[in-house]
Amino acid sequence: MRGRVRGPAPLPEAAGRVWRTLGAAFVLLVFVPPLLLLVSGSFTEPGLPPPPTPQLVPEPVSTTGYEQAVELGGLLRASLNSVLVALVAVPLSVLVASLAGFALARVAPRVTGVVAAASLVALMVPATALLVPRFAIFRMLGLTDTLVPLVAPALLGTSPLYVLVYYLAFRALPAELYDACLVEDLSPARTWWRVALPLVRPVTAGLTALTFVLTWSNFLDPLVYVYDRDLFTLPLALRSLSVLDPTNFPVFLAGAVLATVPALAVFVLAQRRFLHHDDPTGRD
């Protein structure tokens, strides 16, 4: 029987609550003021010269910037393309990463060490260094100017970091849980789905939110692989608004607001898991 695998000792409840509160306050302090200025600037009347100082409440308040952003930038179709990519890439990426992390936590330590070291080496390779070979592969397969290259990285879990995070989470679970699954004659797949995965819900929530934000804001890959304007994702559509006259800055800011809202909504949905501590044995 394998010995008990001990994860890092959890913080005392009071100390953990204090650190979570401080972290939330830091996030609010850093991100809320720029968001307020972004929203207020989007309600400025297009065509007027930029104000000499930032205005929290513009005069006059206008929604023309949003109307022109949707009309000129084609944000509606671009948003649908981004949603389609996210709906496929995010669940697939989390699924693959969790399966790989669970397998890594259950194999022999020697194999785990080799795979973890290879993953760390892969993390050190700049993403831009892979653009040319990836482009050559997708072009050879005839998949350029489609949305497939934007989804394909999810088949590998998107990033080795996700696999390592899941590995650490599954490794921190008590070994007795896995032993009980063996006694109950549960297959590895059922152990992963019914026992291990529900106990690492905060990790799943965090990686889901992170993957969505990275997928939603991905600009480089669509720029390299997508040429048809009807297939543009939201970052590419926003790029077309950035070349407008400087007096039309509210149009670009309105487009930026529309692109930011989904990411904020996902974060709000996941924040309960960010700030909530689950006991590995199942007791909250």
Side-chain angles (χ1 to χ4, degrees):
M1 181 180 295
R2 296 178 58 185
R4 179 186 178 91
V5 179
R6 297 184 180 273
L11 289 173
E13 185 63 26
R17 188 182 301 112
V18 169
W19 281 109
R20 289 193 292 269
T21 302
L22 290 176
F26 175 77
V27 170
L28 291 175
L29 183 63
V30 171
F31 290 101
V32 168
L35 286 176
L36 290 177
L37 293 177
L38 174 66
V39 174
S40 64
S42 67
F43 285 105
T44 303
E45 179 70 27
L48 298 178
T53 58
Q55 295 179 345
L56 189 58
V57 180
E59 295 182 1
V61 176
S62 173
T63 59
T64 307
Y66 288 89
E67 299 171 2
Q68 294 185 6
V70 174
E71 180 181 354
L72 298 177
L75 296 189
L76 182 58
R77 178 181 291 273
S79 298
L80 293 177
N81 292 334
S82 291
V83 168
L84 177 61
V85 171
L87 286 178
V88 177
V90 174
L92 184 59
S93 183
V94 173
L95 177 67
V96 172
S98 63
L99 283 170
F102 179 76
L104 197 60
R106 303 304 299 156
V107 298
R110 182 177 300 178
V111 177
T112 299
V114 173
V115 175
S119 299
L120 292 175
V121 171
L123 283 173
M124 299 178 188
V125 179
T128 52
L130 303 176
L131 281 179
V132 173
R134 286 179 57 195
F135 179 82
I137 292 174
F138 287 124
R139 185 173 183 179
M140 180 182 64
L141 296 176
L143 296 176
T144 54
D145 204 18
T146 69
L147 298 179
V148 173
L150 311 185
V151 178
L155 296 173
L156 302 177
T158 298
S159 170
L161 175 64
Y162 299 173
V163 177
L164 293 177
V165 169
Y166 265 117
Y167 158 69
L168 293 175
F170 290 131
R171 182 176 179 271
L173 296 178
E176 287 81 356
L177 288 175
Y178 297 119
D179 294 336
C181 293
L182 291 176
V183 171
E184 294 294 329
D185 199 25
L186 292 180
S187 65
R190 295 179 67 187
T191 301
W192 163 76
W193 178 253
R194 296 180 56 184
V195 178
L197 196 59
L199 293 179
V200 295
R201 285 190 296 266
V203 173
T204 300
L207 290 184
T208 298
L210 177 61
T211 306
F212 177 84
V213 171
L214 294 178
T215 303
W216 187 261
S217 61
N218 186 6
F219 172 74
L220 184 59
D221 286 344
L223 182 65
V224 172
Y225 299 114
V226 178
Y227 322 124
D228 187 352
R229 188 174 181 83
D230 290 338
L231 295 177
F232 276 12
T233 56
L234 204 51
L236 282 185
L238 285 178
R239 178 174 175 267
S240 65
L241 293 178
S242 66
V243 299
L244 295 176
D245 188 271
T247 59
N248 283 328
F249 74 95
V251 179
F252 176 74
L253 294 182
V257 170
L258 295 176
T260 303
V261 167
L264 286 178
V266 169
F267 176 78
V268 169
L269 292 175
Q271 62 84 26
R272 180 177 178 273
R273 289 299 175 184
F274 292 157
L275 304 179
H276 179 69
H277 172 69
D278 281 348
D279 191 304
T281 61
R283 300 184 301 270
D284 291 343

